[in-house]
Amino acid sequence: MSEVILTLKREIDIKLEADVITPDSFADKNAEEIGSLPIWQGPKTYPLSDFFEVKGNGGSSAAETLIRIKGDVMRVKRIGEGMSAGKIEIEGSAGMHVGSGMKGGEILVSGDADSWAGMEMLGGLLHIKGNAGDHVGCAYRGKWHGMKGGRIVIEGSARHQLGGGMDGGEILVEGNVEGFCGIRQNGGVIVVKGRALRGVGAEMAAGTIVIGGLIERFTPGFEYTGMVDGLTQGGVELTGEFKKFTGDYAISKRAKGVLYAAADANPEL
């Protein structure tokens, strides 16, 4: 696999739109050609090399291309957007829309990720070692269908509307989530090992959500169906007893969503 190294030259004031930073765009190009690819800053385009030092050449295909980004790129948006193969390793934090619409390959973020990470993702792996912002794996504004495939792993916590409109795929959060996790979920699996704030599974029609900690304000449209001893969801084994609910019946009497809540952490449910 050929490696391209991008190193930030300076601090970024106005955020960059850099959807060209993908193995698909870099494949079969040398460092000079990669550096000439256009990125947006406000209303103007600039060559990638104005902001990044570029070393190395792309591989013969996207699958044979590794992009290593050195430095904090929290102010660089759309890295890995729509990528189909290959790998991106970000040695710091990533900006908004990292991995949006990605179809395959792998993105590893060593730090945090801003909002809309993995938006409308179709395939591949997005692995965030830190925390993530709002709308991970979500549908974009005005759309109903979010993530359809692939896997998102967040080793820290995530904020609001994780997996909103999710149709398929898997999301694993090792930490906590805030409001409306799985809102309008239509399929796929969300596993949160920590606690959730409120609105879990609101307007959910199908799919599965597992919450391993306290749900602070439970969504009223769910119906208790029984206890389950241990779970395996999204490739993750969870021990202990879980209360099983179905819903969200506040939206439809035919809803097929399944919500599991850890029994020990939720004695009042």
Side-chain angles (χ1 to χ4, degrees):
M1 181 174 277
S2 298
E3 183 175 303
V4 178
I5 300 174
L6 303 180
T7 306
L8 269 177
K9 290 182 175 181
R10 61 180 184 275
E11 289 188 9
I12 296 167
D13 47 9
I14 299 173
K15 291 184 178 182
L16 304 178
E17 302 268 351
D19 57 328
V20 297
I21 301 180
T22 66
D24 301 75
S25 295
F26 286 13
D28 208 27
K29 291 182 176 67
N30 59 35
E32 183 178 352
E33 291 170 322
I34 292 169
S36 67
L37 291 171
I39 59 175
W40 287 87
Q41 187 179 48
K44 296 181 179 179
T45 59
Y46 300 89
L48 184 66
S49 59
D50 276 14
F51 298 93
F52 291 91
E53 178 185 352
V54 182
K55 291 184 178 180
N57 304 319
S60 59
S61 66
E64 293 300 319
T65 301
L66 163 64
I67 302 172
R68 191 179 307 278
I69 302 175
K70 295 183 176 291
D72 190 302
V73 286
M74 184 63 87
R75 299 190 66 78
V76 183
K77 299 159 65 176
R78 303 187 183 279
I79 293 172
E81 184 173 82
M83 65 183 279
S84 67
K87 189 171 184 178
I88 299 175
E89 294 183 355
I90 300 172
E91 298 180 357
S93 295
M96 294 173 67
H97 297 280
V98 61
S100 288
M102 70 182 291
K103 304 175 184 70
E106 181 178 345
I107 299 176
L108 175 63
V109 181
S110 295
D112 299 330
D114 207 344
S115 299
W116 301 104
M119 181 194 77
E120 298 181 7
M121 185 173 173
L122 299 172
L125 170 65
L126 172 58
H127 188 159
I128 300 163
K129 286 187 167 289
N131 299 314
D134 301 309
H135 308 296
V136 173
C138 207
Y140 195 59
R141 301 289 191 196
K143 291 188 176 182
W144 290 96
H145 300 283
M147 179 179 180
K148 292 182 174 63
R151 181 175 171 85
I152 299 175
V153 176
I154 301 168
E155 294 190 21
S157 295
R159 298 197 65 203
H160 301 284
Q161 295 196 24
L162 177 97
M166 182 179 181
D167 281 347
E170 301 169 359
I171 301 177
L172 168 64
V173 180
E174 296 281 351
N176 307 314
V177 294
E178 296 185 26
F180 297 96
C181 170
I183 184 171
R184 299 188 309 276
Q185 185 176 348
N186 298 301
V189 177
I190 298 174
V191 177
V192 177
K193 290 188 175 181
R195 67 181 182 275
L197 180 59
R198 66 186 181 111
V200 176
E203 301 184 18
M204 185 181 189
T208 302
I209 301 175
V210 181
I211 306 294
L214 171 67
I215 301 176
E216 295 187 26
R217 278 175 273 176
F218 193 72
T219 307
F222 281 82
E223 180 179 298
Y224 175 75
T225 62
M227 298 288 290
V228 176
D229 188 11
L231 281 173
T232 300
Q233 291 288 339
V236 179
E237 289 189 16
L238 298 164
T239 58
E241 289 191 322
F242 288 81
K243 297 179 180 181
K244 181 179 179 181
F245 301 84
T246 56
D248 181 2
Y249 296 125
I251 299 302
S252 171
K253 297 302 179 184
R254 294 176 294 176
K256 298 179 181 178
V258 179
L259 169 59
Y260 295 98
D264 289 347
N266 298 278
E268 297 181 359
L269 293 183

